[in-house]
Amino acid sequence: MAETKANPVTVKTDTAEVTVHPFGAHVTSWKVDGEEIMFVSSLAKYDGSRPIRGGVPICFPQFGPGPIKQHGFARRSYWNFVKSEVSEDGKVGTIQFSLSPTEYTLEMWNHKFELLYTVIIQGAQIQIDLVVKNTEESAWSFTGCLHTYFGVEDITKTQILGLKGTTYLDSLKDRAECTEENEGVTFNQNVDRIYRKIDWPVSFNNGKKNVKLTTNVADCVVWNPWSEKAQAMGDFEDSEYLKMVCVEPAQAIDPIEVASGAEYTFTHTISVE
Ligand code: BG6
């Protein structure tokens, strides 16, 4: 039986450690050889009053703005703790949380579902699986995103690789369709783009290490708020935009339909070299 656990859960392996907060089943830290890979704002709130600013917010059942609250309810709900364990040889660490409908989710999105979220660390790799099960009598569909905030040494020197030649929707221009001409996506202003139907992996250097992302979903959102938006966010320090980038595996545009009784697994793997 799943039990509710109000405190963050941490597992440590021989090389890494990961922490998942029950509010949002939110990965708030992933350290490899003692070095933090994620970014979390120093002004992030952990009291359930708003989604945690940083780490890996789970956006479900809607990516971005739309009929329900921005990025959906998953990152705004307390999840149920299922288990945390480390293998006997100390090499593999697992944390699992689940979410089923509550008054809050049903009010926002009147559908029955079961979400099972599993975070596995092994060596310098983290694998995140979000299993989305439809427990309703008829099919429904969702969009979503594993909205990953990474720490970087210097955003002005950061380049996101693997997107050249792909089409993106520019969220700062009413989602106007553009083509990425550059080898690497660079940052010297607010960037908010949905790269569509890309060929994963996508990678970047965080100033110390190469970080590589793979997933089974179609899109990759790239976001940095830059200075003006940073100042407008109540849970983000004015200068923190210099130290972070969001590279987000997403099913942002084409919804995934899940038949009655069926399930879909959204997988996101990050490795550091
Ligand atoms: C990104 C969106 O995924 O999330 C941005 O592309 C948005 O448009 C950002 O600003 C942060 O969203 P929120 O709701 O956490 O402030």
Side-chain angles (χ1 to χ4, degrees):
M1 260 302 265
E3 63 178 279
T4 303
K5 192 158 181 166
N7 295 319
V9 181
T10 298
V11 292
K12 290 183 192 186
T13 62
D14 52 3
T15 22
E17 73 175 79
V18 66
T19 300
V20 181
H21 199 288
F23 184 62
H26 200 120
V27 174
T28 51
S29 168
W30 174 42
K31 289 183 188 155
V32 177
D33 295 324
E35 290 208 23
E36 184 59 71
I37 306 300
M38 299 294 170
F39 164 86
V40 178
S41 171
S42 59
L43 298 183
K45 294 267 186 287
Y46 297 89
D47 58 3
S49 60
R50 62 196 300 169
I52 298 167
R53 177 68 65 195
V56 188
I58 303 172
C59 305
F60 175 89
Q62 174 185 289
F63 170 79
I68 65 170
K69 266 186 193 287
Q70 159 108 333
H71 295 326
F73 55 72
R75 64 177 185 153
R76 303 170 192 272
S77 298
Y78 278 97
W79 289 53
N80 300 307
F81 174 71
V82 179
K83 67 173 182 183
S84 69
E85 62 194 23
V86 179
S87 60
E88 251 172 53
D89 61 7
K91 289 188 184 303
V92 185
T94 306
I95 299 177
Q96 204 166 52
F97 278 85
S98 69
L99 184 70
S100 31
T102 61
E103 223 174 277
Y104 178 69
T105 70
L106 289 167
E107 204 177 292
M108 206 186 292
W109 192 65
N110 192 17
H111 292 298
K112 289 191 210 146
F113 64 87
E114 276 294 335
L115 300 181
L116 184 65
Y117 193 60
T118 308
V119 176
I120 302 169
I121 52 170
Q122 181 168 22
Q125 180 173 296
I126 187 170
Q127 184 183 328
I128 298 174
D129 288 335
L130 175 66
V131 178
V132 176
K133 185 167 186 187
N134 180 352
T135 53
E136 200 160 277
E137 301 67 35
S138 50
W140 44 245
S141 54
F142 71 96
T143 57
C145 175
L146 293 169
H147 188 311
T148 315
Y149 288 71
F150 293 97
V152 294
E153 289 276 291
D154 182 349
I155 188 65
T156 65
K157 297 195 176 112
T158 305
Q159 286 197 53
I160 313 298
L161 302 173
L163 298 168
K164 187 177 180 190
T166 61
T167 299
Y168 68 85
L169 308 181
D170 192 336
S171 300
L172 303 176
K173 294 181 185 153
D174 285 334
R175 294 194 169 173
E177 201 170 293
C178 310
T179 301
E180 182 56 66
E181 310 283 356
N182 300 308
E183 199 58 53
V185 181
T186 54
F187 303 86
N188 55 16
Q189 59 183 336
N190 183 12
V191 170
D192 191 356
R193 299 175 183 170
I194 303 167
Y195 286 87
R196 305 246 20 233
K197 299 180 182 168
I198 68 156
D199 275 336
W200 295 89
V202 165
S203 63
F204 63 97
N205 188 287
N206 66 9
K208 287 183 181 159
K209 300 260 163 96
N210 287 318
V211 179
K212 188 169 85 174
L213 293 83
T214 50
T215 178
N216 59 342
V217 291
D219 309 320
C220 180
V221 177
V222 177
W223 180 60
N224 181 291
W226 216 250
S227 55
E228 208 176 312
K229 285 214 171 150
Q231 284 167 35
M233 286 193 280
D235 56 351
F236 194 87
E237 277 279 5
D238 291 359
S239 62
E240 283 180 332
Y241 72 94
L242 293 166
K243 295 285 177 192
M244 55 73 69
V245 67
C246 285
V247 186
E248 315 164 23
Q251 190 72 27
I253 305 296
D254 300 331
I256 292 174
E257 185 172 287
V258 188
S260 172
E263 60 185 42
Y264 174 86
T265 303
F266 180 162
T267 298
H268 174 26
T269 303
I270 312 166
S271 55
V272 169
E273 288 157 13

